[in-house]
Amino acid sequence: MLMAEVIRRKRDGGELTPATISEIIAGVVGGGVPDYQAAALLMAVYFRGLTDAELVAWTQAMLHSGDVFDLSHLPGGKVDKHSTGGVGDKISIPLAPLVAACGVKVPMISGRGLGHTGGTLDKLESIPGFRTDLPSARFVEGVATIGTCMIGQTESIVPADKRLYALRDVTGTIESIPLIAASILSKKLAEGISGLVLDVKVGSGAFMKTRERALGLARTLVGLGNRSGVKTVAYLTDMNEPIGWAVGNALEIEESIEVLRGEGPADTVDLVVTLGGRMLVLGGATGAQADGEARIRGAIADGSGLEVFRRMVAFQGGDVGVVDDFGRLPRASASVDVVAPVGGTVQAIDCEGIGLAALVLGGGRRTKEDAIDPAVGLRMRVRLGAEVKAGEPLATLLVNDVSKVPEATALVRDAYIIGEAPVSAGPRVLEVVE
Ligand code: URA
């Protein structure tokens, strides 16, 4: 393979063979393909895209660049969910135990958040003692015995993504839909799953800002997942206001437990029920979405989802006492209300601003090396369409470093657009791509 020739071929709109793609990815991981040539090829892909066949080959080559879990010895469906990330998105945390309680296994390997608040792993690690770095055999044991286990990406899972993502990050090629799809799917396929539900967020505070781009990504992911042998469905969901009331790591653990107790915010519960219902269908536990949803609601009502959560926390070394006593979670030292500057109706909430406020308080990270403060964040006090009077709280900041309060306050105040027109929040699920 002459790499310069490969780059030219892609640049001119030609198609690469699976064998060539597999050599490229092996070279990226092994060092045979230097960064400057890999970067040039990524830019050619950015402009020319990948054909369906190229995308499958690219994803398979990435997947097999590292360890792949084999869960075929476990009976029944193995289904995961992936979200492209939103503000207050704690859905995976109540979802996985509820789906497991209904008989479908959920092997979940998540990433850490960069920007906004933390990712699922950061949230789980706010439970004292909770370990997300379990060895592979322990992960498989957790899935087999409890029905779910949630761990972090390791060096040996899809190492090609680590190299390629780092290059994309500094060469203006992050935004390529086929490259995003290959990156997401290769990591999910490594879990050894048979089904996958994707939650593609759209709106302010989401990775995909427009519905058109989100739909493009959802269609590419669904096509790629199904062609790779995993039953895949995507939900396009609205991210024009945070999910639930809590934004911040330990705060989102509290809200997740409230969902499992049957005391969660309606929007959060509804999304868990919708996605969970679909996971039960893909996992073969039921043939109908409505029945799947009813079972998820049943697992909330009878406490079986909460019981699986307790077992998972114990299995992963966490303090199970947090389930009954939120005081055992990290707590911020101060709380400060952000009040409405004028009265009126909440017309819009800029989720990006809310996420940034949580980041400023220490709840997210700007670089991979930043440490997260699990205790801080904010609680939304009013949602889209709510009436507020001047001076009434819009949100409460939970703070450890009071020097951050002015910046976080300004971000939250600016994020709330208050006006006169009546507003009602639209549906969270915008579209389903099958
Ligand atoms: N998330 C990923 O895992 N990969 C991307 O390329 C973008 C978002």
Side-chain angles (χ1 to χ4, degrees):
M1 175 186 74
L2 194 58
M3 195 56 194
E5 188 46 44
V6 168
I7 295 166
R8 260 185 232 114
R9 202 181 323 151
K10 192 74 239 172
R11 179 199 67 191
D12 296 341
E15 187 170 19
L16 307 179
T17 66
T20 302
I21 289 172
S22 131
E23 257 190 87
I24 295 165
I25 300 295
V28 165
V29 178
V33 174
D35 282 357
Y36 52 86
Q37 287 188 315
L41 180 63
L42 290 170
M43 189 55 87
V45 170
Y46 178 89
F47 281 113
R48 291 292 188 176
L50 291 174
T51 64
D52 288 351
E54 284 177 320
L55 183 54
V56 170
W58 189 286
T59 307
Q60 288 294 321
M62 285 178 69
L63 166 67
H64 293 293
S65 69
D67 296 345
V68 179
F69 284 96
D70 179 2
L71 301 178
S72 57
H73 61 289
L74 302 180
K78 275 80 60 176
V79 182
D80 193 12
K81 167 254 178 187
H82 175 81
S83 161
T84 56
V87 178
D89 189 356
K90 71 275 300 172
I91 296 295
S92 290
I93 296 164
L95 178 68
L98 285 164
V99 171
C102 296
V104 170
K105 296 192 166 51
V106 186
M108 194 174 271
I109 302 177
S110 304
R112 288 184 191 282
L114 194 55
H116 296 338
T117 53
T120 299
L121 294 184
D122 301 301
K123 292 168 197 177
L124 288 167
E125 285 175 358
S126 69
I127 301 172
F130 194 101
R131 302 236 349 233
T132 57
D133 60 347
L134 303 186
S136 302
R138 201 70 186 133
F139 171 65
V140 176
E141 185 190 337
V143 175
T145 57
I146 297 164
T148 187
C149 195
M150 296 187 182
I151 61 164
Q153 206 73 45
T154 67
E155 294 292 322
S156 60
I157 299 170
V158 195
D161 187 57
K162 234 189 175 78
R163 287 282 324 276
L164 287 173
Y165 194 91
L167 278 177
R168 287 167 56 209
D169 203 19
V170 292
T171 57
T173 50
I174 285 286
E175 294 85 354
S176 155
I177 285 184
L179 293 177
I180 296 170
S183 164
I184 292 175
L185 252 289
S186 58
K187 289 176 287 190
K188 289 284 122 180
L189 297 178
E191 296 169 341
I193 48 177
S194 56
L196 178 64
V197 173
L198 295 156
D199 181 358
V200 179
K201 305 281 184 204
V202 54
S204 81
F207 186 48
M208 293 286 155
K209 305 281 182 225
T210 67
R211 186 157 172 172
E212 193 190 358
R213 291 259 313 152
L215 193 56
L217 178 61
R219 288 190 175 135
T220 303
L221 284 165
V222 169
L224 177 59
N226 285 306
R227 276 194 298 277
S228 307
V230 169
K231 286 181 257 171
T232 308
V233 175
Y235 283 77
L236 222 64
T237 65
D238 180 272
M239 198 60 260
N240 284 322
E241 66 176 336
I243 300 173
W245 296 103
V247 180
N249 297 287
L251 297 169
E252 293 188 43
I253 290 291
E254 285 185 24
E255 201 164 64
S256 300
I257 294 169
E258 284 166 359
V259 170
L260 290 165
R261 285 181 186 162
E263 300 159 2
D267 72 317
T268 314
V269 173
D270 287 349
L271 193 50
V272 166
V273 165
T274 304
L275 300 178
R278 186 54 70 118
M279 289 170 78
L280 295 187
V281 173
L282 293 185
T286 176
Q289 176 70 18
D291 182 53
E293 293 186 6
R295 289 192 199 196
I296 297 290
R297 285 199 192 274
I300 294 175
D302 68 12
S304 54
L306 188 63
E307 185 50 33
V308 172
F309 181 75
R310 279 184 207 274
R311 292 179 60 209
M312 180 187 80
V313 171
F315 185 84
Q316 300 197 224
D319 175 7
V320 183
V322 301
V323 172
D324 304 302
D325 178 5
F326 291 162
R328 298 169 82 114
L329 286 166
R331 291 284 169 164
S333 54
S335 68
V336 180
D337 284 343
V338 179
V339 299
V342 292
T345 303
V346 178
Q347 308 284 307
I349 302 174
D350 172 22
C351 281
E352 191 135 30
I354 300 291
L356 279 173
L359 175 75
V360 163
L361 293 174
R365 49 171 84 74
R366 291 177 204 270
T367 70
K368 286 202 290 288
E369 290 70 34
D370 283 353
I372 274 193
D373 182 342
V376 300
L378 50 101
R379 280 189 200 285
M380 313 285 293
R381 302 285 292 275
V382 289
R383 305 187 69 91
L384 267 183
E387 302 282 328
V388 283
K389 296 194 176 72
E392 277 184 355
L394 298 170
T396 302
L397 307 179
L398 286 310
V399 182
N400 274 331
D401 178 352
V402 288
S403 73
K404 309 283 193 234
V405 168
E407 190 182 353
T409 298
L411 282 162
V412 172
R413 201 186 295 121
D414 292 350
Y416 274 87
I417 310 300
I418 297 171
E420 292 309 318
V423 172
S424 58
R428 183 70 81 174
V429 174
L430 303 172
E431 202 162 333
V432 185
V433 180
E434 316 221 17

